[in-house]
Amino acid sequence: MATESTTSRLRVLLAEIVDLKNVVSLLEWDQQCCLPPSAGEGRAEQLGTLQRLVHERVTSDELGREIDRLAESTRGLDPDADEVRLAAVSRRVRDRLVRVPADLVAEIARVTGVAYGEWARARSESDFARFRPHLERIVDLKRRLADCFAPYDHVYDPLLAEFEPGMKTAEVRGIFDRLRGPQAALIRSVAARAPVDDGFLRRRFDEAAQWAFATEVVGELGYDWARGRQDKAVHPFTITLGADDVRITTRVAADFFPSCLFGSIHEAGHAMYEQGFDPAFARTPLADAASLALHESQSRMWENLVARSLPFWEHFYPRLRARFPGVLDDVPLLAFHRGINRVSPSLIRVEADETTYNLHIMLRLDLEIRMLEGTLAVKDLPAAWNEGMRQHLGMVPPDDAHGVLQDVHWAGGSIGYFPTYALGNLVAAQLWERIQVDLPGLDEDFRHGRFGGLLAWLRKSIHRHGAKFAPQELVRRVTGSPIDPAPYLRYLEGKLAAVHGS
Amino acid sequence: MATESTTSRLRVLLAEIVDLKNVVSLLEWDQQCCLPPSAGEGRAEQLGTLQRLVHERVTSDELGREIDRLAESTRGLDPDADEVRLAAVSRRVRDRLVRVPADLVAEIARVTGVAYGEWARARSESDFARFRPHLERIVDLKRRLADCFAPYDHVYDPLLAEFEPGMKTAEVRGIFDRLRGPQAALIRSVAARAPVDDGFLRRRFDEAAQWAFATEVVGELGYDWARGRQDKAVHPFTITLGADDVRITTRVAADFFPSCLFGSIHEAGHAMYEQGFDPAFARTPLADAASLALHESQSRMWENLVARSLPFWEHFYPRLRARFPGVLDDVPLLAFHRGINRVSPSLIRVEADETTYNLHIMLRLDLEIRMLEGTLAVKDLPAAWNEGMRQHLGMVPPDDAHGVLQDVHWAGGSIGYFPTYALGNLVAAQLWERIQVDLPGLDEDFRHGRFGGLLAWLRKSIHRHGAKFAPQELVRRVTGSPIDPAPYLRYLEGKLAAVHGS
């Protein structure tokens, strides 16, 4: 039985850790949104001090003992009871840090700190040779990191587990193998049809009006402005500074409409997830996302399945036109809808459309796994990248800046992160099929600007559970099946038929 | 002799403390400039956690031992050597906290965290009853805080000492007693003269242009924009988040020109002080102001002695007119200069002119002392405020929003703080008499927009020393006398003769 005193000491320790992590988030938010030009060095020192305090507390023996006591005292209770899950999740989070020696953590921080600058320069000069020794070191360090979690089925498993608790490399490969062929076939079929015009998205849209429109829209979708705010950032992100403080960021381009609006909706999708955690989980590790794939399922659902749908724009298009007088007078609703859903393969992942995006991810996953296994040497990476692009997307980058050097992730030491993007797309579509069953009037709701029904469903089914369930467990609970690519393929087929004609 | 190892362990401990304090400042800056409306409670918890960590570290036995070791190892050195002063200042800062139990510190943080939001709402609704229970709790906590320093000459002494190291309540009262009569007489003499027109300050000044002009001016005075930034805040303040991150805030009123410009210059005066500490003091307690009075002497000097002077406007007035086309065409330079120096009692402290300002402070000091002594109940505070306003300034506020609720200080737990504003006015004038001797060409410098000579003098005489010297000690070193109201009265007489005629 969990006594009051057992849980209360643990909760004090956990609350302090969550507070410190949220403060680290504030330091990072401020670094990206507000920091004066000369203050970078001082901020790095502050971040170092805070992160060391977090590490000391998470790995402390006292925390380990209190987690064990909670696990003991709740033995035999309903395995879904919050306290049972709190013990399990707390232990998982702690074990991840306890297993890794402090000097390996420091070495990874040092190497990636240097690698970031070298990558940025290598990319701007399209010079892979400059980045190569750093990536070799990073791959080596990540292999050593994985070895801290031996034995494992696959060397990639422990890296993936940082972002997707409980998932195996074999599982992800199995999902992607079922996706690859049909998705490539869909893209080929689009290429055979008449191209869609989206040139009007590059007209001049007043920046202040874009900002105001995005603010209005995400508020109507359900982002709680009393518990968040939006700022500009070079690389948009969502960040949680507390149970009632989940901030989004965006960028605004006067000559490219989708950046601000769809970016804001994407980030608001992330933020509504974090705003929806059970308030009872506040200041515990349960107040976290189940995984990055689940997180991405929320941002992608609002961005693509909701905000690129026709019913959504039946509601918002007149207001959009009124907000930018004259700019879209010659673009009827259906043409606008087709334009924002245009399929067109791109060399650059972050510019990819909904249909081709996953192919970028499959390429990266394949390369990450082979580098970790040692079956692909870093020196051979550019050639493998280009060959993969040819196979997956039928195009080859003109240089490494538009190819293997385009993403920051590897320079930052994030290996195991990419697959979560594609998994998020699949989960979004899988949840969507369930939502269609549970909420049959959804299109009609959207047409009238009513998004509360959808948000309530997501809150109840996904958000409030926070990190209580592992990602596959949560998806199975809600949809009856583990992560499955079929609903995503069905969704794409329907969308392409509507947009490009069947 | 101070060995390398003695000082380096101490410096590690001090650096961690300074980092944590700067993070607390970031939490506070964000609270006032950015925090979403519903996030107040969570922020209060985070502040409580961080302040407890600071408290644990400052009061740790290890820090005490390391300070003692430094004091021992530097015994017999020049008493002005940095290391000698570092030991003394570190010990003073530590002793202030050692005396106060951690749970009292946490309680004050928690209560003031909540009180801030309640004050803001109480002020916007002019509803003192909403704020009253919070202020009662704060006064009680402050009395308990003072008792940690018993025995004392006066219950207010320990609170004052937090802001003015080494000063006593009796000393401050003595200075104010010498000031009150002559200052009131000066104001009466002005009231007998022809009124000065300042109506043009309430014309419509475009807000964005005000912001841009203030940004330009404070940069030319010497505020380093690469090591700071400016944001809007309801109650403007300056805050230091690191040696290279000193931020200012302001408010802008389209129909009241002085708010933004003089407010920005005031805050930039504070900020230039903090930007001017000896870089060798970074991440030690010497990187701090000597006291709040010294701090205020800097803000007031730039705001009043510099930016309300005629030579200053001989340089800037043509640019001001150009910035607001047509708005000031009918206002000659001398009329403008008279207008911005007009003496006219105001209900609001932060809008008070230079001559009446100190009377606002004397009122607050009197009320604070009586609340602490227990001779004034918080419930009777609004009546006492209004009566004091009548006596000191001959006017009574129409509601509590324009009276007792106008300042944020008490909501933040700052009791003992107000007198430092008036002392700052006195120190500014006292330094100014010295500066006139050392820099005889100052007026000519200002006429040509050269402010570097003044800033260099302040850097050398005041800024770079940081907290190395106590306030009275520093003032005596620079001017030859402790804080003295006579130079301030002489300055006011001269100013009033120039503006209102003699």
Side-chain angles (χ1 to χ4, degrees):
Chain A
M1 290 271 297
T3 65
E4 189 63 29
S5 69
T6 313
T7 54
S8 65
R9 178 62 191 153
L10 178 59
R11 278 179 181 270
V12 166
L13 296 174
L14 294 174
E16 186 180 81
I17 290 166
V18 173
D19 282 354
L20 290 172
K21 285 183 170 179
N22 283 333
V23 170
V24 167
S25 296
L26 173 61
L27 287 162
E28 290 171 342
W29 173 84
D30 183 79
Q31 188 171 41
Q32 303 220 28
C33 296
C34 307
L35 201 71
S38 298
E41 202 179 317
R43 177 52 50 87
E45 286 166 348
Q46 293 162 356
L47 273 166
T49 294
L50 264 285
Q51 278 159 338
R52 191 166 40 69
L53 293 180
V54 170
H55 195 272
E56 280 169 16
R57 273 155 185 73
V58 174
T59 58
S60 76
D61 293 338
E62 188 189 9
L63 181 65
R65 278 195 307 274
E66 291 295 332
I67 293 171
D68 290 346
R69 282 179 62 191
L70 178 62
E72 294 269 321
S73 69
T74 55
R75 198 186 305 265
L77 293 188
D78 176 357
D80 287 351
D82 288 350
E83 294 294 299
V84 175
R85 294 291 180 145
L86 177 63
V89 171
S90 300
R91 181 176 285 158
R92 171 169 61 75
V93 170
R94 181 170 182 276
D95 281 355
R96 273 206 74 86
L97 293 197
V98 168
R99 296 246 207 157
V100 184
D103 59 351
L104 179 55
V105 174
E107 179 73 356
I108 290 174
R110 202 187 57 72
V111 168
T112 55
V114 175
Y116 176 82
E118 292 298 302
W119 162 78
R121 206 160 138 196
R123 184 168 83 154
S124 79
E125 295 167 3
S126 196
D127 176 13
F128 182 77
R130 171 183 283 280
F131 182 49
R132 173 184 152 189
H134 302 281
L135 184 56
E136 284 170 344
R137 233 162 281 148
I138 287 169
V139 169
D140 181 56
L141 288 168
K142 285 284 162 169
R143 227 181 265 126
R144 281 169 56 198
L145 182 70
D147 284 343
C148 299
F149 299 89
Y152 41 68
D153 295 343
H154 191 280
V155 62
Y156 193 77
D157 280 356
L159 305 184
L160 183 64
E162 189 177 339
F163 309 108
E164 296 301 321
M167 280 198 87
K168 300 287 187 188
T169 306
E171 247 177 307
V172 177
R173 273 178 159 166
I175 293 166
F176 284 6
D177 284 347
R178 290 161 59 198
L179 185 64
R180 188 175 283 111
Q183 185 154 8
L186 268 176
I187 295 166
R188 278 192 304 272
S189 79
V190 172
R193 294 173 215 178
V196 160
D197 176 29
D198 65 353
F200 55 84
L201 297 173
R202 297 189 177 274
R203 291 175 184 171
R204 183 142 204 99
F205 293 84
D206 177 73
E207 293 197 15
Q210 285 194 59
W211 184 271
F213 186 66
T215 299
E216 216 173 277
V217 169
V218 302
E220 289 177 42
L221 298 183
Y223 176 70
D224 184 352
W225 284 106
R227 300 165 64 214
R229 56 180 282 129
Q230 170 140 290
D231 296 86
K232 288 184 190 170
V234 177
H235 300 287
F237 60 98
T238 296
I239 196 162
T240 289
L241 312 186
D244 297 309
D245 193 353
V246 184
R247 304 185 184 183
I248 58 179
T249 59
T250 193
R251 56 182 156 200
V252 190
D255 57 358
F256 190 56
F257 175 76
S259 277
C260 177
L261 181 68
F262 290 108
S264 297
I265 293 172
H266 179 96
E267 300 305 331
H270 283 303
M272 286 188 272
Y273 187 6
E274 304 247 339
Q275 288 183 332
F277 298 149
D278 186 337
F281 294 170
R283 301 175 94 201
T284 79
L286 294 180
D288 200 354
S291 78
L292 287 197
L294 264 292
H295 231 311
E296 197 71 8
S297 78
Q298 300 305 294
S299 56
R300 293 279 165 172
M301 183 185 292
W302 289 101
E303 177 192 359
N304 290 330
L305 289 90
V306 177
R308 292 186 204 271
S309 75
L310 190 56
F312 177 95
W313 285 106
E314 288 177 53
H315 174 66
F316 279 113
Y317 198 54
R319 279 163 61 185
L320 175 68
R321 278 177 152 171
R323 181 69 80 162
F324 301 94
V327 178
L328 295 168
D329 285 359
D330 60 335
V331 183
L333 171 63
L334 290 178
F336 179 82
H337 177 247
R338 274 199 302 274
I340 59 171
N341 283 288
R342 182 187 183 203
V343 177
S344 169
S346 152
L347 289 169
I348 306 297
R349 177 184 60 84
V350 298
E351 291 169 9
D353 61 75
E354 217 184 340
T355 308
T356 56
Y357 188 92
N358 286 353
L359 297 173
H360 290 268
I361 297 305
M362 291 182 212
L363 166 64
R364 287 157 177 75
L365 174 68
D366 178 54
L367 298 173
E368 286 186 344
I369 289 176
R370 287 161 59 196
M371 284 192 289
L372 263 290
E373 285 174 341
T375 53
L376 174 65
V378 170
K379 74 172 168 50
D380 299 325
L381 183 62
W385 179 284
N386 293 348
E387 173 55 20
M389 280 298 288
R390 199 188 53 72
Q391 282 177 16
H392 283 92
L393 285 147
M395 54 208 305
V396 175
D399 56 33
D400 289 337
H402 294 82
V404 67
L405 289 171
Q406 69 182 263
D407 295 306
V408 67
H409 299 61
W410 293 338
S414 287
I415 295 182
Y417 190 115
F418 279 123
T420 71
Y421 291 126
L423 293 172
N425 282 329
L426 307 189
V427 172
Q430 192 170 343
L431 294 175
W432 199 246
E433 287 199 348
R434 177 78 233 172
I435 290 166
Q436 298 303 315
V437 175
D438 289 351
L439 305 174
L442 209 57
D443 280 359
E444 197 54 23
D445 275 1
F446 289 4
R447 267 180 213 111
H448 292 87
R450 296 188 299 254
F451 303 95
L454 173 60
L455 182 58
W457 188 96
L458 292 169
R459 288 256 188 277
K460 176 176 66 72
S461 312
I462 306 289
H463 300 178
R464 70 183 171 99
H465 299 304
K468 194 173 157 179
F469 304 114
Q472 287 282 39
E473 186 185 4
L474 182 56
V475 172
R476 200 181 302 108
R477 276 174 177 263
V478 178
T479 68
S481 129
I483 299 176
D484 173 10
Y488 174 71
L489 287 166
R490 285 193 286 270
Y491 158 74
L492 276 191
E493 271 169 43
K495 170 71 76 82
L496 293 177
V499 170
H500 287 261
S502 48
Chain B
M1 289 270 297
T3 65
E4 188 62 29
S5 70
T6 313
T7 55
S8 66
R9 178 61 193 155
L10 178 60
R11 280 181 180 269
V12 167
L13 296 174
L14 294 174
E16 186 183 77
I17 289 166
V18 173
D19 282 353
L20 290 173
K21 285 184 171 181
N22 283 333
V23 171
V24 167
S25 296
L26 173 61
L27 287 163
E28 290 172 343
W29 173 83
D30 182 79
Q31 186 173 45
Q32 302 218 29
C33 295
C34 307
L35 200 70
S38 298
E41 203 180 316
R43 178 51 50 90
E45 286 164 349
Q46 291 162 356
L47 275 165
T49 294
L50 264 286
Q51 279 158 339
R52 191 167 41 70
L53 293 181
V54 170
H55 194 271
E56 281 169 15
R57 274 155 185 75
V58 174
T59 59
S60 75
D61 293 338
E62 188 189 9
L63 181 66
R65 277 195 307 274
E66 291 296 332
I67 293 171
D68 290 345
R69 283 179 62 190
L70 178 61
E72 294 269 320
S73 69
T74 56
R75 197 188 305 265
L77 293 189
D78 176 357
D80 288 349
D82 287 350
E83 293 294 299
V84 175
R85 293 291 180 147
L86 178 63
V89 171
S90 299
R91 181 176 285 158
R92 170 171 61 73
V93 170
R94 182 172 181 275
D95 282 355
R96 269 204 73 83
L97 293 199
V98 167
R99 299 248 206 156
V100 185
D103 59 351
L104 179 56
V105 175
E107 178 73 356
I108 291 174
R110 204 188 56 73
V111 168
T112 55
V114 175
Y116 175 80
E118 294 296 303
W119 162 78
R121 209 163 135 192
R123 185 169 86 153
S124 79
E125 295 167 7
S126 195
D127 177 13
F128 182 76
R130 170 182 284 279
F131 182 49
R132 176 186 149 187
H134 302 281
L135 183 56
E136 282 169 347
R137 233 162 281 149
I138 288 169
V139 169
D140 180 56
L141 288 168
K142 285 284 160 169
R143 224 181 268 125
R144 282 169 55 198
L145 182 70
D147 285 342
C148 300
F149 299 90
Y152 39 66
D153 296 342
H154 190 281
V155 62
Y156 194 77
D157 278 357
L159 304 185
L160 182 65
E162 189 177 341
F163 308 109
E164 296 302 319
M167 283 196 87
K168 300 284 187 189
T169 306
E171 234 177 318
V172 177
R173 276 178 157 165
I175 294 167
F176 283 7
D177 285 346
R178 290 163 61 198
L179 185 65
R180 189 178 279 110
Q183 185 153 7
L186 269 177
I187 294 168
R188 277 192 306 272
S189 81
V190 171
R193 296 173 212 176
V196 160
D197 176 28
D198 66 352
F200 55 83
L201 296 174
R202 297 187 177 276
R203 291 176 183 169
R204 182 138 207 102
F205 292 85
D206 177 72
E207 293 197 16
Q210 284 194 59
W211 183 272
F213 187 65
T215 299
E216 214 174 277
V217 170
V218 302
E220 288 177 43
L221 297 183
Y223 176 70
D224 183 351
W225 283 107
R227 300 166 64 215
R229 55 179 280 130
Q230 171 140 289
D231 295 86
K232 289 184 189 170
V234 175
H235 191 95
F237 60 98
T238 295
I239 195 161
T240 289
L241 313 186
D244 296 309
D245 193 354
V246 184
R247 303 185 186 185
I248 58 178
T249 59
T250 193
R251 55 182 156 199
V252 190
D255 57 358
F256 190 61
F257 175 76
S259 276
C260 177
L261 181 68
F262 292 108
S264 298
I265 293 172
H266 178 98
E267 300 305 331
H270 283 303
M272 286 187 274
Y273 186 6
E274 303 247 341
Q275 288 183 334
F277 298 149
D278 186 336
F281 293 171
R283 300 176 96 201
T284 80
L286 294 180
D288 200 354
S291 79
L292 288 197
L294 262 293
H295 231 311
E296 197 69 9
S297 78
Q298 300 307 293
S299 56
R300 292 280 160 175
M301 183 183 292
W302 289 102
E303 176 192 0
N304 290 331
L305 290 90
V306 176
R308 291 186 204 271
S309 75
L310 190 56
F312 177 94
W313 285 108
E314 290 178 53
H315 174 66
F316 278 114
Y317 198 53
R319 279 164 58 186
L320 175 67
R321 280 177 150 171
R323 179 71 76 162
F324 300 94
V327 179
L328 295 167
D329 285 358
D330 60 335
V331 182
L333 171 64
L334 290 179
F336 180 81
H337 177 248
R338 274 198 303 276
I340 59 170
N341 283 288
R342 182 190 183 202
V343 176
S344 168
S346 152
L347 289 169
I348 305 297
R349 175 182 60 85
V350 296
E351 290 167 9
D353 62 73
E354 224 183 334
T355 308
T356 56
Y357 187 91
N358 286 354
L359 298 173
H360 289 268
I361 297 306
M362 291 180 205
L363 166 64
R364 286 157 178 74
L365 174 66
D366 178 54
L367 297 174
E368 287 187 343
I369 289 176
R370 287 161 60 197
M371 285 194 289
L372 262 291
E373 286 173 341
T375 54
L376 173 65
V378 170
K379 74 172 165 54
D380 300 325
L381 182 62
W385 179 284
N386 293 346
E387 174 55 21
M389 281 297 290
R390 201 188 52 73
Q391 282 178 16
H392 281 91
L393 285 147
M395 58 207 304
V396 175
D399 57 32
D400 289 338
H402 295 83
V404 68
L405 288 171
Q406 69 182 260
D407 295 307
V408 67
H409 301 63
W410 293 337
S414 288
I415 295 182
Y417 188 118
F418 279 122
T420 70
Y421 290 127
L423 293 171
N425 282 330
L426 308 189
V427 172
Q430 194 170 340
L431 294 175
W432 199 246
E433 287 198 348
R434 178 77 234 171
I435 290 167
Q436 297 305 314
V437 174
D438 289 352
L439 305 174
L442 208 56
D443 280 359
E444 198 54 23
D445 275 358
F446 290 2
R447 266 179 214 111
H448 293 87
R450 296 190 298 254
F451 303 95
L454 173 60
L455 182 59
W457 189 97
L458 292 170
R459 288 257 188 277
K460 175 177 68 70
S461 310
I462 306 287
H463 299 178
R464 70 184 170 98
H465 299 306
K468 197 173 155 180
F469 304 113
Q472 288 281 38
E473 184 185 6
L474 182 56
V475 172
R476 201 182 300 108
R477 275 173 178 265
V478 178
T479 69
S481 131
I483 299 177
D484 174 11
Y488 175 71
L489 288 165
R490 284 193 287 270
Y491 158 74
L492 275 192
E493 272 170 44
K495 171 70 76 81
L496 293 177
V499 171
H500 288 260
S502 50

